[in-house]
Amino acid sequence: MPRSRPAPIQLVIVGSVGLDTVETPAVRRAEALGGSASYACAAASFFTRTGMVGVVGSDFGKGYLDIYRGFGFDLAGLQVREGRTFRWSGVYEENMDNRRTLATELNVFAEFMPELPENYRQAPFLFLANIAPALQLRVLDQMRKPRFVVADTMDLWINTALADLKKVIRRVDLLTLNESEARHLTGERMLIKAARKLLGWGPRHILIKKGEHGAVLFSKRGTFLMPAYPLEEVKDPTGAGDTFAGGFIGQLAAGGKVTEEALRLAMLVGSVIASFNVEAFSLDRLRKLTRREFNARVAEFKNMLRI
Amino acid sequence: MPRSRPAPIQLVIVGSVGLDTVETPAVRRAEALGGSASYACAAASFFTRTGMVGVVGSDFGKGYLDIYRGFGFDLAGLQVREGRTFRWSGVYEENMDNRRTLATELNVFAEFMPELPENYRQAPFLFLANIAPALQLRVLDQMRKPRFVVADTMDLWINTALADLKKVIRRVDLLTLNESEARHLTGERMLIKAARKLLGWGPRHILIKKGEHGAVLFSKRGTFLMPAYPLEEVKDPTGAGDTFAGGFIGQLAAGGKVTEEALRLAMLVGSVIASFNVEAFSLDRLRKLTRREFNARVAEFKNMLRI
C-alpha cells in the first residue's frame, strides 16, 4: 500500500503490528490496533516524517488503515500477506503494574521478512522497535548509513536469541529497555552498574524505562534522570514504552541533532506522549491529541522538573 | 545532658533514638546507633543549629554520645531514663526493597514524654520525625509559633492511631510519608490523587518518598518531581527517609525562607544527604562526609536533572 509524498522519510520504524485484546480491572477491549510499530509510528509522526515497516494479514480491515492514515505516517513499508494478522491478548492486574499474556497468535508475523522501500534506506534515523533481533539485524543491513539508530528489546529475546541480540546491541547508538530487562540482561541489580555494562557492549547511550517511575539515560559522558509525568488515572498501559520511544526518536529526528540537550528534550517529549497514550485504550488518545494539549503538558511538565 | 552554646536553635527534631541490629544479604551489624531522630539530626546538623528531642536508657554508652557530639547538634532535649534504650532489629531481603522487622523492644521509649527545653520552644523550624502521633501533638503544644512544621509517620500509626494522626496532619505545614503509606492512608492508588486528598486535610505540602525512585512534592500550587541520585551500591537503607527529611528541613531552616524554590532545593539537598547515608551502616558515612564531597555530589546531581 504505497503512498506518494514529496518529503523524504526522516525516520524508519520497524516493529510489530497486531490486534490486541486487553483486559484491565475496569474494561475489556477486543481487537484494538496495537503492536510496537503502531504505537511508535503514531507517536513519532507528531514530530517527523516517519515510515512504518511491518506486516499485516489479509484480514487487516480498512478501519485500521484509516487510523494509520490519520496519523500521516508512510505505509510503503507495511506488507500485506495472505493470512491473519498477529494477535495478542493480555490482562492487567489490579494495580496495572503486572500484565499477564493470555494468548499470542503470531500468524503472518511468524514469517515476517522486513523489506525496506528504496526511499526508506537513506533515512537518517531508525528505530528498531521490539521484534526478533534477527529481523532487527536484517533491517540494519538494508539501511545505507543511518545517523542514529535506537533499538528496543524484551525478555523473550534475552532468553531465546541472546547472540543475535548482542549483535544488535553492538550496532546501535542507543539501546532502550525496561528496568527489569536491564537487570536480567546484565545480572546487575543496580541500574548504574547494568547501564555501565551495557555501554561496554557498544552503544553510546542506554535508555532504561522505569514505567511510572520515569526513565534514565546513561551516556558515556553523563546521566540524565527523568521522572514520569504524574497521571491521575491509567486506563491502559499497553504501548507506553513504544510511544515513549517513538516520541523520543521522532523529536530527535525533527531536530536533526543528537546533542546531550537534544536527547534530554527528546526524553521529555517522549514522556509526555506516553502519558497521553495511557489515558485511553489502543491509539484512541493519540488520535485525538492536539498540538495545543501537547504543548500545554510539555510546559506543565517542565515546570514540575525545574529546580 | 545539656550543653551550652551561644547560637539559638533554628530547628527542633523529635523522634526515636535506638540501637539497631541490621542484617543485609551481605552483613550483620549489631547495636548500631539508629532511630529517626538520630538520622534526621545527623543530616540536619550539616546545615543548621539543631536540637534533638528523644529518650535513651541508662545503658546508652558514651561512644554513642560522642557520635552525636561529633555532629554538633544540641542534646539538651535528650532525656536519659533508668532502663534500657529502645532496640530494633530487622533484615533486608535480597534486593533491599523489603525489610522485615525481627524484633522491637520499646524499653524506655515506651514511656517517652517529650519535654522541650525552654530555648527549643521558640525555634522557627520543627521536624516531628516518626513517633506516635500523640507525642507529636505533645511537642506541637509546647512550641511557641514555629514557622514551618514537617511531620513524618508510618503504617503502624495509620493502623493504630489514626484519629491522633489526623490531628497532627491538620496542624503541620508539610506531611511526609512513603508511597505505600500515602496509598494506605488515603485508599488512592495514584499518588496525585492521594496527595490531593491529603492536601485537603490541612497541610500546604505533601512530600511523598519513593525510595530509589525519588520523591514528589505536592503543593496547592504545583508539583515537583525529584528522582533519586543513582547509587552504585546500597549497603544499608536504614534511615534513608529520615536523613532525607532531616537534610530537607535542615536546608530550609538554614535558608530561612519557605518559597517554592527553597523547597525544591531542599529536596535536592535531602536526596544527596540520603544517598550518602545508605552507602554504609548506621551513621558511619555521614560521620565521614565532608563539605567538599557533599558539594561535588550536589553539582553532579543537578547536572543529572537539567533539561
Side-chain angles (χ1 to χ4, degrees), chain B residues 147-208:
Chain B
R147 200 176 335 146
F148 197 77
V149 179
V150 172
D152 195 0
T153 193
M154 73 186 293
D155 268 332
L156 176 65
W157 314 122
I158 299 173
N159 292 328
T160 65
L162 187 58
D164 278 346
L165 176 57
K166 287 202 172 176
K167 281 186 207 160
V168 171
I169 293 174
R170 268 201 289 284
R171 292 177 62 184
V172 302
D173 298 284
L174 185 150
L175 174 70
T176 179
L177 69 184
N178 293 338
E179 191 171 18
S180 62
E181 291 159 358
R183 292 190 174 121
H184 179 188
L185 182 54
T186 61
E188 295 286 353
R189 153 79 190 155
M190 303 306 281
L191 290 188
I192 198 164
K193 288 190 178 175
R196 193 173 300 136
K197 194 176 268 193
L198 292 169
L199 284 169
W201 296 356
R204 276 179 297 138
H205 310 279
I206 304 295
L207 202 177
I208 298 184

Side-chain angles (χ1 to χ4, degrees), chain A:
Chain A
M1 54 203 72
R3 303 174 77 198
S4 63
R5 276 217 188 181
I9 300 290
Q10 294 299 318
L11 167 63
V12 170
I13 295 179
V14 56
S16 61
V17 173
L19 301 179
D20 293 347
T21 297
V22 176
E23 276 175 57
T24 69
V27 189
R28 179 174 188 276
R29 170 83 173 260
E31 306 232 322
L33 190 50
S36 59
S38 296
Y39 283 110
C41 287
S45 60
F46 272 84
F47 308 102
T48 197
R49 180 110 174 88
T50 303
M52 173 188 257
V53 177
V55 65
V56 296
S58 42
D59 63 341
F60 194 74
K62 180 173 171 306
Y64 298 129
L65 287 173
D66 286 343
I67 293 173
Y68 282 169
R69 291 201 182 98
F71 285 106
F73 51 81
D74 192 275
L75 296 171
L78 181 65
Q79 306 167 15
V80 185
R81 290 276 176 269
E82 197 57 47
R84 274 165 66 78
T85 300
F86 172 61
R87 276 166 175 78
W88 173 83
S89 64
V91 56
Y92 288 91
E93 280 154 26
E94 198 50 62
N95 60 14
M96 299 278 194
D97 282 350
N98 278 316
R99 83 172 180 200
R100 257 180 319 117
T101 290
L102 297 177
T104 305
E105 277 182 48
L106 288 177
N107 301 329
V108 298
F109 195 55
E111 308 293 322
F112 181 39
M113 274 293 133
E115 197 63 54
L116 273 57
E118 197 48 39
N119 68 326
Y120 281 34
R121 299 181 183 219
Q122 86 315 327
F125 289 82
L126 171 65
F127 176 36
L128 304 165
N130 174 29
I131 50 169
L135 301 185
Q136 293 178 320
L137 289 170
R138 189 182 155 90
V139 171
L140 271 172
D141 288 340
Q142 292 175 41
M143 294 291 287
R144 292 268 143 69
K145 204 178 179 318
R147 199 175 336 147
F148 197 76
V149 179
V150 172
D152 195 359
T153 194
M154 73 185 294
D155 268 333
L156 177 64
W157 314 121
I158 299 172
N159 291 328
T160 65
L162 187 59
D164 278 347
L165 176 57
K166 287 202 171 177
K167 281 186 207 160
V168 171
I169 294 173
R170 267 201 290 282
R171 292 176 62 183
V172 302
D173 298 286
L174 184 150
L175 174 71
T176 179
L177 68 184
N178 293 337
E179 192 171 19
S180 62
E181 291 159 357
R183 292 188 175 124
H184 179 187
L185 183 53
T186 61
E188 295 285 354
R189 153 79 192 155
M190 302 307 280
L191 290 189
I192 198 166
K193 288 188 177 176
R196 193 174 299 138
K197 194 177 267 192
L198 292 168
L199 285 169
W201 295 357
R204 275 179 297 139
H205 309 280
I206 304 296
L207 202 177
I208 297 183
K209 295 174 283 186
K210 306 199 298 173
E212 66 173 317
H213 299 299
V216 188
L217 178 68
F218 294 96
S219 303
K220 286 181 180 171
R221 289 174 45 208
T223 298
F224 174 54
L225 308 171
M226 173 89 202
Y229 179 83
L231 284 160
E232 304 254 338
E233 192 178 14
V234 172
K235 279 259 175 60
D236 175 13
T238 312
D242 299 314
T243 47
F244 172 74
F248 170 80
I249 193 166
Q251 164 69 25
L252 275 184
K257 280 184 299 197
V258 192
T259 59
E260 180 69 21
E261 277 59 41
L263 288 163
R264 290 178 178 213
L265 179 61
M267 284 183 66
L268 183 136
V269 160
S271 299
V272 168
I273 285 282
S275 76
F276 280 111
N277 184 63
V278 300
E279 290 179 355
F281 279 85
S282 184
L283 297 169
D284 293 0
R285 186 66 185 91
L286 294 193
R287 287 173 73 189
K288 294 190 307 184
L289 181 62
T290 65
R291 184 67 47 181
R292 190 194 188 95
E293 289 172 315
F294 170 77
N295 289 341
R297 191 170 288 182
V298 166
E300 183 196 6
F301 192 34
K302 274 186 180 168
N303 193 43
M304 292 180 179
L305 304 176
R306 184 179 47 79
I307 299 281

Side-chain angles (χ1 to χ4, degrees), chain B residues 89-105:
Chain B
S89 64
V91 56
Y92 288 90
E93 280 154 28
E94 198 51 62
N95 60 13
M96 298 276 193
D97 282 352
N98 278 316
R99 83 172 179 198
R100 256 181 321 117
T101 290
L102 297 178
T104 304
E105 276 181 49

